Amino acid sequence: LVGILVAIIRPQQIFARLRDTQRMSDLNRLSNAIQTYISEFAQNPASIVLTADLGGTNGCVGGASSTIYYSASTNPPGVPAPFQRAVATTSVAIDGTGWLPVRLSSSTLLNISQLPIDPRNSAYDAAPSYYYTFACRTDLGFELNANLELMKDQAANDGGDNPVLYEVGPNRNILPTATSVNFYPNP
């Protein structure tokens, strides 16, 4: 009876919490997949491609240019130096042409059929905005971010440099913080 009353009274919060759980699960799975991919090709680092549009790690921080990749349908507003925006896409392809440019399809250790996208995956100009972001470093470090709806304590305690966004990856200080740029409007 209590469960039924809770579902009737607060279904929006229940669904928002479920979406946040999905976001955290998606980013953790992607982080593990990228780390597995890097480990598999560690014997030949030149074959590791974290930025498929530029090849290798050229689009990573410390390379020729620094690119932020989005699972959104439209590009977020301008980002601070040293970053540039990739073309926003909702593609879920795992061959490096999807929103995450890592060529996960070349791994024999991974069983991923498509990339996840945010459960709401709203455009940046929708308030608030929900989409996933990715950036990397030339030392093969990377960061994945998501805006959470309700579970803000998870974002504040994830070990990253941004208390507003949920951050995963070995380097949780690559992407710009929401406080330094309108990166995720109205988080």
Side-chain angles (χ1 to χ4, degrees), residues 109-161:
L109 302 175
L110 296 173
N111 184 18
I112 296 176
S113 59
Q114 64 182 26
L115 297 172
I117 58 172
D118 186 274
R120 292 180 71 181
N121 214 49
S122 57
Y124 82 88
D125 53 356
S129 295
Y130 300 99
Y131 47 84
Y132 298 153
T133 55
F134 168 81
C136 56
R137 297 182 57 85
T138 54
D139 64 3
L140 303 180
F142 61 89
E143 179 180 356
L144 293 153
N145 285 357
N147 187 16
L148 302 180
E149 294 176 63
L150 290 179
M151 300 173 76
K152 299 296 186 178
D153 57 327
Q154 296 291 327
N157 297 311
D158 61 13
D161 63 348

Side-chain angles (χ1 to χ4, degrees), residues 42-129:
Q43 297 279 338
N44 183 12
S47 66
I48 297 173
V49 177
L50 295 183
T51 55
D53 60 332
L54 299 170
T57 59
N58 290 336
C60 298
V61 176
S65 61
S66 307
T67 307
I68 299 176
Y69 300 86
Y70 306 93
S71 71
S73 57
T74 58
N75 273 329
V79 295
F83 295 99
Q84 66 184 12
R85 296 177 298 201
V87 175
T89 179
T90 58
S91 172
V92 295
I94 60 169
D95 62 357
T97 63
W99 76 265
L100 181 72
V102 181
R103 293 183 184 162
L104 298 175
S105 61
S106 63
S107 173
T108 59
L109 302 175
L110 296 173
N111 184 18
I112 296 176
S113 59
Q114 64 182 26
L115 297 172
I117 58 172
D118 186 274
R120 292 180 71 181
N121 214 49
S122 57
Y124 82 88
D125 53 356
S129 295

